[in-house]
Amino acid sequence: MVSGEQVEVDGRRLNLSNLGKNLYPEFTKGEVIDYYARIAPVMLPHLKDRPATRIRWPEGVDGGKFFEKNAPSHTPDWVRTAEIPTPGSSSGRETADFVVVDDLPTLVWCANLAALELHVPQWKVGPRGKQHAPDLVVFDLDPGEPATIVEACEVAVLLRDVLAEDGFDSYPKTSGKKGLHLYVPIKEPNDAARTSEYAKAAAQRLASEHPDLVVARMEKRLRKGKIFVDWSQNNPAKTTVAPYSLRAAPSPSVSAPLDWDELGSCRDATDLVFSPDEVLARVERDGDLLEPLLVGRRRALP
């Protein structure tokens, strides 16, 4: 592939650069852009209206990374941004102009900047930038060695049953690394404090019922051989890697939606590791397994 070229994406002109550069040992920047362009039909609805934190690896996964919340000075004027409060930011700013990845040109633009990972909150912004209440609850199931995603699958099923007792449906995806994420669509109105409170209570209940398998406290010393059910990502200042996002690793992996049968049949940590091509094939076969987060029924928190 040539080192750079100008392309038109849905009416927007983009200058793509260094397309043959390896961002992974055997996966080029051009291939990263191609993956995001092809996965866009199912990924963009999960990014829409959510201010994105972009994690960029300009020199690839073997080089340094940086988190980018504020839109860079060279951001095209057609890229949607939203001014969001960032109290306590290390930059000293009280707000940041977040990029909102609502369309294919913006997604390709991010990929061209080596933003391998896109992370979003559990809430949206309105057309004039108003921050809405959370519409999702998320749990991050993080294995402490020697536990793996196999044990995380077991905990996910237990957590699904706890949530179902409150009338909630839940939907899993891989983190793209070693753990799982479990999403619950919720009905507004609610507030972030209530969302975090509910998630914390569910995690603590699970830990009390399965103390040999589950921990809900933050201290890392408690996590060995257990699954940490991290409820804290419901804090409105925190984000979770978006569905279908690439992850930085020796080989490109994807935060991939799953069905519950796959969790039940997982016997090895490698069973739920998916490459970009595998995820594209899964979507072609199964569609978007997380579509219920967009169009499914929602219940209010108890």
Side-chain angles (χ1 to χ4, degrees):
M1 187 174 285
V2 297
S3 62
E5 60 183 63
Q6 187 175 86
V7 299
E8 184 171 304
V9 181
D10 288 355
R12 305 294 188 186
R13 287 203 168 274
L14 295 168
N15 291 309
L16 306 182
S17 60
N18 300 316
L19 297 178
K21 182 176 183 177
N22 279 6
L23 295 184
Y24 297 83
E26 297 183 4
F27 202 74
T28 66
K29 184 177 177 182
E31 289 173 303
V32 168
I33 293 172
D34 180 69
Y35 166 73
Y36 274 125
R38 293 170 64 193
I39 203 66
V42 291
M43 185 179 190
L44 285 171
H46 295 286
L47 296 172
K48 183 175 173 57
D49 296 328
R50 299 187 192 272
T53 296
R54 290 143 290 133
I55 308 182
R56 293 173 56 185
W57 278 263
E59 301 305 318
V61 296
D62 293 330
K65 69 179 179 181
F66 64 95
F67 289 73
E68 190 169 59
K69 297 179 182 292
N70 205 51
S73 59
H74 55 77
T75 301
D77 58 9
W78 46 261
V79 170
R80 180 185 174 191
T81 61
E83 186 177 11
I84 305 294
T86 54
S89 169
S90 58
S91 68
R93 295 185 48 163
E94 289 301 309
T95 64
D97 292 321
F98 283 74
V99 170
V100 184
V101 186
D102 278 349
D103 55 33
L104 179 57
T106 304
L107 183 59
V108 171
W109 175 76
C110 288
N112 187 57
L113 294 178
L116 298 180
E117 297 188 8
L118 299 174
H119 295 239
V120 291
Q122 315 318 317
W123 45 269
K124 297 180 179 180
V125 291
R128 290 177 294 278
K130 179 183 177 182
Q131 185 172 327
H132 290 181
D135 63 339
L136 297 172
V137 175
V138 65
F139 298 89
D140 181 3
L141 278 55
D142 185 13
E145 293 184 353
T148 69
I149 200 170
V150 176
E151 288 77 20
C153 288
E154 181 180 350
V155 172
V157 171
L158 295 171
L159 181 55
R160 176 195 64 185
D161 294 344
V162 166
L163 297 167
E165 290 180 16
D166 287 335
F168 290 113
D169 297 323
S170 52
Y171 303 90
K173 71 174 174 69
T174 70
S175 69
K177 291 192 172 178
K178 62 177 182 176
L180 293 172
H181 296 146
L182 202 61
Y183 287 94
V184 180
I186 56 173
K187 182 185 295 185
E188 297 183 55
N190 51 66
D191 58 53
R194 180 72 189 94
T195 304
S196 290
E197 177 185 310
Y198 177 79
K200 182 178 181 179
Q204 290 177 332
R205 173 182 166 184
L206 206 61
S208 68
E209 293 177 353
H210 305 276
D212 294 334
L213 184 59
V214 179
V215 60
R217 292 169 58 187
M218 297 290 180
E219 298 96 317
K220 288 189 177 181
R221 62 180 177 81
L222 301 175
R223 303 184 195 178
K224 184 176 181 181
K226 298 182 181 182
I227 304 302
F228 173 45
V229 179
D230 186 358
W231 47 269
S232 71
Q233 290 186 26
N234 297 285
N235 180 319
K238 292 191 175 185
T239 59
T240 305
V241 68
Y244 303 106
S245 175
L246 292 169
R247 301 306 305 267
S251 297
S253 61
V254 177
S255 183
L258 302 168
D259 66 39
W260 284 106
D261 288 343
E262 290 178 296
L263 273 71
S265 62
C266 179
R267 297 293 180 266
D268 187 89
T270 61
D271 290 349
L272 298 180
V273 177
F274 301 105
S275 70
D277 283 345
E278 288 171 329
V279 169
L280 288 164
R282 287 166 62 84
V283 169
E284 184 175 352
R285 184 190 70 212
D286 302 327
D288 178 17
L289 293 174
L290 290 181
E291 187 177 19
L293 297 183
L294 307 170
V295 298
R297 72 186 183 99
R298 296 179 179 272
R299 292 179 61 94
L301 294 174

